[in-house]
Amino acid sequence: MQIIEQAGRPVDSPVWQDVVNVLAGSSVRVRISFDDFTGKTVYHCHILDHEDSGMMGLIEDR
Ligand SMILES: [Cu+2]
């Protein structure tokens, strides 16, 4: 994915990365390429309590 916006501000030069640290109360907007992939994949928080509370979801590319 590429982080294209952090805390409401556009990122000047997005780079490809697998994880991003999102500070409490903040947000990020990401761009994901599905050119070479179809099917389902998950996104989730690495803090297990958060993940169990709903910070996990499915993305399906058809
Ligand atoms: Cu979290």
Side-chain angles (χ1 to χ4, degrees), residues 15 19-24 33-35 38-40 43-44 47 49 57 60:
V15 296
V19 297
V20 60
N21 186 26
V22 183
L23 301 178
S33 173
F34 290 101
D35 290 345
T38 56
K40 296 178 182 177
Y43 63 94
H44 64 95
I47 299 172
D49 288 348
E60 182 173 7

Side-chain angles (χ1 to χ4, degrees), residues 2-47:
Q2 291 178 309
I3 310 305
I4 59 172
E5 186 180 292
Q6 274 190 302
R9 305 176 78 181
V11 173
D12 290 336
S13 302
V15 296
W16 293 102
Q17 55 193 82
D18 294 325
V19 297
V20 60
N21 186 26
V22 183
L23 301 178
S26 188
S27 64
V28 297
R29 184 180 303 263
V30 302
R31 176 170 50 209
I32 303 171
S33 173
F34 290 101
D35 290 345
D36 300 324
F37 174 83
T38 56
K40 296 178 182 177
T41 188
V42 296
Y43 63 94
H44 64 95
C45 182
H46 284 200
I47 299 172

